Amino acid sequence: MTFPAPIRAFSPFSSTTILVPRAGARPLRVEKVKPRAAAPKTGAFGLSAEPRPAARTVTVHVPAPPPASVLYVPTPKGLVRSEAYEEWLDRAARRLNAQKPGRIGATYALEVVAPRKAAARQFGALERPLVELLARCRVIRRGLTPECISASYGAGAELTLTVSDFFTA
């Protein structure tokens, strides 16, 4: 059986309440919750708080990422993204968001069509930054790698990315 302890509560200020559980006990100070600002209606990079509409295929045009040798820089704590990589991610995310792509909900196939120039020669090194860009812009789910990657040369000055549902590709 529990016995209710008498509690005296008094509030000298509107934002603080002092509780004294029993005579001789140390008073407890409880601060009231301060009102917080409303959550923004848009997330990072101007994305709406609502998820993107689902799609079976998404085609977008983005600038080529920096060369693989300058994506990361060594620090005493390990490798971190370089300024060039961060600037490219920001610039490419704004370009991609302006195209208002849908999202792929599950496993996906990635097709990359790159222009014939020196910045896009290393197809193997293109996967990581492009997947990071697509995840940052919520076109794909973060942490999912493509089930199939196809890379080829084509016309144009930018990379053309086609992301499609893997089971319909």
Side-chain angles (χ1 to χ4, degrees):
M1 178 176 217
T2 58
F3 297 101
I7 295 179
R8 277 188 333 160
F10 58 95
S11 182
F13 305 108
S14 62
S15 65
T16 305
T17 302
I18 299 176
L19 298 174
V20 181
R22 64 182 182 275
R26 194 169 94 196
L28 300 171
R29 177 175 282 206
V30 179
E31 299 224 1
K32 292 182 182 174
V33 177
K34 295 179 176 70
R36 295 189 314 185
K41 297 197 185 293
T42 59
F45 308 107
L47 296 172
S48 67
E50 299 296 319
R52 295 184 179 279
R56 290 210 175 273
T57 302
V58 174
T59 301
V60 292
H61 303 282
V62 297
S69 60
V70 297
L71 291 180
Y72 297 95
V73 293
T75 64
K77 294 185 177 182
L79 293 176
V80 296
R81 289 184 189 149
S82 66
E83 286 184 26
Y85 186 25
E86 286 291 341
E87 287 173 9
W88 174 81
L89 272 174
D90 188 44
R91 190 175 70 250
R94 292 184 193 287
R95 174 91 166 92
L96 192 145
N97 288 331
Q99 299 172 50
K100 299 189 185 323
R103 68 176 163 83
I104 304 296
T107 58
Y108 63 96
L110 176 63
E111 180 184 350
V112 180
V113 178
R116 281 195 181 271
K117 59 182 187 179
R121 276 189 301 189
Q122 303 169 327
F123 282 128
L126 286 177
E127 177 191 0
R128 173 73 183 213
L130 295 178
V131 168
E132 175 68 26
L133 172 67
L134 293 171
R136 178 180 272 197
C137 294
R138 294 189 290 185
V139 174
I140 60 171
R141 240 188 293 164
R142 188 170 297 283
L144 286 180
T145 56
E147 294 291 325
C148 174
I149 296 179
S150 167
S152 62
Y153 287 117
E158 295 184 319
L159 298 178
T160 302
L161 307 178
T162 304
V163 184
S164 56
D165 190 353
F166 180 66
F167 294 110
T168 60

